[in-house]
Amino acid sequence: MVSAKHEGPIQIIRDNPEVVAQLLTTAFRIELSTDLVIRTASEEFTNIAPTAYRADSVIEICEGDSARPSMAVVVEVQQRQDPAKRSSWPVYLTTLKARTRCPCYLLVICPERPVADWAREPIKIGHPGFDLRPLVVGPGVGPLVASTEQAAQAPEMAIVGALANVTPPDREAIEIIHAALVTIENAGHENADLYTDLVLNALPKAARRLLEELVKADIVDYEFKSDLFLRSQAKGEVKGEAKSVLKVLDARGLSVSDEVREQILACTDEQLLDQWLVRAIEVECVDDLFG
């Protein structure tokens, strides 16, 4: 299931693809022209083989009035080590290169340090000199935004940096994040609530409380309210209730087959899960759970 933590950075990039150019210049010192048109492009990659490939996001950067891109960027959000990605990422880049005929880059957002370190390892294709070294935004890349003033100038990059755990969430970092959120809120951005929810959800408890205090000073009685976050939160609660049903059955020593376990975990009906949870306390066999 795709989570809000995965979709958050991608949503920000779709809303404002210019943040990709900011990341390239700030984190990786890639020089870009000042006269640019930056746009999202198709995330689909096809080849002669029947396998379908789809990236999280693709951004094209054009100079001046040119309709042809001078640079293209594949953006991926990676929350766990996945060996299959080390085969599909080169496909993304080479297919994009054939499609755009311009320099192409792979930008991977990794909030967890072990995943970021794994993603930075070169992908050896086998051909001499043909190694892919992903550009990774995550722990170890250094601060992207160093002050509240910079956060007001590049709020989306500050928020992506927060979601990617680029720097430890100390008080200074929280004040920078708050400045970015306030800038977006004051601009009347349609996804301002979503950005606030995503950041609050991503932070550890102590940092979240500090940010909540700053947010509540601007927004009285603030609570999570963006649609995407609430949907994700609701799915998490339903999944947690399904696990509770299984825990009760296991604790009572009742045998649960793989088929039944999958049926319970796949259920998204909250009312039905409530019934199963009550029954799990008293049934003599698992079959009675569904009776």
Side-chain angles (χ1 to χ4, degrees), residues 15-177:
D15 288 343
N16 182 18
E18 288 82 2
V19 72
V20 171
Q22 295 170 351
L23 289 170
L24 291 177
T25 56
T26 303
F28 305 104
R29 304 294 185 267
I30 295 174
E31 295 185 6
L32 299 175
S33 167
T34 55
D35 184 19
L36 297 175
V37 175
I38 304 175
R39 65 197 182 200
T40 58
S42 171
E43 291 102 0
E44 299 286 349
F45 297 104
T46 56
N47 56 16
I48 355 179
T51 305
Y53 294 96
R54 180 182 175 87
D56 288 332
S57 184
V58 175
I59 303 299
E60 293 181 348
I61 300 175
C62 307
E63 293 188 3
D65 297 329
S66 174
R68 292 185 61 84
S70 59
M71 178 186 296
V73 185
V74 175
V75 183
E76 287 273 281
V77 176
Q78 198 65 28
Q79 299 186 79
R80 62 182 179 85
Q81 297 182 23
D82 182 359
K85 289 292 186 179
R86 302 185 71 79
S87 296
S88 60
W89 283 344
V91 174
Y92 294 174
L93 277 192
T94 52
T95 307
L96 186 61
K97 172 69 175 178
R99 187 169 81 196
T100 61
R101 300 185 181 182
C102 68
C104 298
Y105 296 82
L106 172 64
L107 186 67
V108 186
I109 298 172
C110 300
E112 302 296 332
R113 165 72 76 167
V115 181
D117 292 342
W118 164 82
R120 289 189 180 100
E121 295 175 2
I123 300 172
K124 297 185 179 296
I125 308 300
H127 187 84
F130 191 7
D131 295 345
L132 172 58
R133 298 175 183 272
L135 304 176
V136 177
V137 176
V141 79
L144 301 176
V145 177
S147 68
T148 54
E149 291 77 12
Q150 290 180 4
Q153 295 297 318
E156 288 88 356
M157 184 166 67
I159 293 170
V160 169
L163 297 179
N165 291 325
V166 166
T167 55
D170 54 20
R171 183 173 187 87
E172 183 180 5
I174 296 302
E175 290 176 351
I176 288 173
I177 295 168

Side-chain angles (χ1 to χ4, degrees), residues 243-261:
K243 288 183 176 179
S244 295
V245 174
L246 292 172
K247 284 182 180 179
V248 172
L249 295 173
D250 289 340
R252 297 188 59 222
L254 298 177
S255 177
V256 182
S257 67
D258 290 342
E259 183 180 357
V260 169
R261 190 175 297 273

